[in-house]
């Protein structure tokens, strides 16, 4: 039995995506490329997306690069192959464009760890503090934020704030702890984490390093402090990619979501990239939220222009200032 588009639309809230039966013979690459042209749509993809989605994207990048692209694109439709908070950020930056997310349930454990009503109460305990929020948070949280940041610009953002001003940092306690160490600032941390970056086993990584003494351990700052202490390089996804290209080393142990390895291998085909092992036997170093997006869902969302990101005018207005401030600081730093 085939599911009609009308039925699929009716169930969109429950499913998160348009669950319709598609022709099993469909050439998704050809169809998606056709829709891009016909609709003047741009596909922005994060490095943690499936390789085939990365390969069809117009731009692949980290959270900062994706936001910069979302702000500056001439396209009429932004198709965000990433997670919900990223698509919301794109909508805040380009409110008059249609922003599509292939699966509305592509969330983020880190963003979910900081519900806006709870954060509001937390913030009230520090009335003189400024709020710096990692971009991995909801649009509602952004409305309570003074400056947003990504892992690429977080140090610059913290350093832009006068030394005598207290700072609340939310929601990632690992990135927060890393920033405290890097900047020497005393930050009030929200206790949130990313389920993917917390899963790496320091013990297994130590063993891997013994087996490959020439390998460089490269890690995302969302990882726990004990892992970051062992790392040869710490950076955002695009920072890790750049380091892997520029480094003299030939073997890398990569402590972030495995999706980034696709670009690392494309850019440095003669180098070896070993995913940092998780502390169990599951594929937990894959982000289940990012991986909800598939080529099928990408196609249906472009064809039917659903699911779409809708935000209230108030959220767009109040959420914008902290992102604009982040983009200004990044531009001044040449990022
Ligand atoms: P960046 O790509 O900005 O380093 O962020 C990684 C991430 O947490 C994506 O969810
Ligand atoms: Fe969120 Fe972590 Fe997934 Fe990034 S990898 S989207 S921070 S859960």
């Amino acid at each position: 039995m085939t599911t009609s588009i009308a039925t699929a639309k009716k169930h969109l809230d429950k499913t998160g995506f348009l669950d319709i039966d598609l022709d099993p013979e469909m050439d998704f690459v050809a169809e998606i490329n056709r829709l891009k042209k016909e609709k003047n749509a741009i596909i922005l993809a994060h490095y943690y997306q499936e390789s085939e989605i990365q390969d069809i994207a117009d731009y692949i990048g980290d959270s900062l690069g994706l936001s910069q692209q979302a702000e500056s694109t001439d396209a009429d439709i932004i198709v965000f192959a990433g997670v919900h908070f990223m698509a919301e950020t794109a909508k805040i930056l380009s409110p008059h464009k249609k922003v599509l997310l292939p699966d509305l349930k592509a969330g983020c454990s880190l963003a979910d760890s900081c519900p806006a009503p709870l954060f509001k109460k937390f913030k009230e305990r520090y009335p003189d503090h400024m709020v710096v929020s990692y971009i991995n948070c909801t649009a509602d949280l952004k409305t309570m934020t003074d400056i947003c940041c990504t892992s690429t610009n977080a140090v610059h953002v913290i350093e832009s704030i006068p030394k005598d001003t207290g700072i609340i940092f939310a929601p990632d306690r690992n990135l927060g702890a890393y920033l405290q160490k890097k900047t020497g600032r005393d930050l009030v941390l929200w206790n949130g984490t990313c389920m993917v970056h917390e899963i790496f086993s320091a013990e297994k990584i130590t063993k891997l390093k013994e087996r490959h003494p020439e390998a460089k351990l490269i890690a995302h700052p969302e990882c726990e402090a004990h892992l970051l202490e062992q790392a040869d390089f710490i950076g955002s996804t695009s920072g890790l990619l750049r380091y892997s290209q520029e480094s003299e080393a030939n073997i890398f142990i990569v402590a972030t979501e495995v999706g980034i390895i696709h670009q690392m291998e494309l850019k440095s085909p003669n180098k070896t990239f070993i995913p940092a092992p998780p502390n169990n036997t599951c594929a937990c170093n894959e982000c289940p939220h990012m991986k909800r997006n598939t080529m099928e869902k990408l196609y249906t969302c472009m064809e039917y222009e659903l699911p779409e990101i809708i935000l209230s005018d108030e959220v767009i207005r109040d959420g914008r200032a902290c992102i604009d401030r982040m983009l200004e600081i990044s531009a001044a730093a040449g990022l």
Side-chain angles (χ1 to χ4, degrees), residues 46-48 61-66 83 85-86 107-108 110 134-136 149-152 172 194 197 220-222 235-240 256-257 260 287 290:
H46 190 265
Y47 291 118
Y48 297 166
D62 66 2
S63 311
L64 176 62
L66 290 163
V83 289
F85 74 81
M86 295 178 173
C108 168
L110 190 48
Y134 192 32
I135 199 164
N136 299 39
C149 74
T150 73
S151 43
T152 295
D172 188 8
C194 158
H197 289 89
H220 196 280
E222 286 175 29
S236 70
T237 48
S238 50
L240 299 178
T256 190
E257 213 268 3
I260 185 71
C287 173
M290 288 276 183

Side-chain angles (χ1 to χ4, degrees), residues 217-228:
L217 171 63
I218 58 177
H220 196 280
E222 286 175 29
C223 294
E224 291 176 299
H226 62 83
L227 193 149
L228 296 180

Side-chain angles (χ1 to χ4, degrees), residues 113-131:
S113 74
C114 194
L118 287 186
F119 183 76
K120 189 167 180 278
K121 291 210 176 86
F122 181 76
K123 180 178 145 104
E124 279 162 11
R125 290 179 12 218
Y126 307 94
D128 301 329
H129 283 49
M130 279 183 72
V131 175

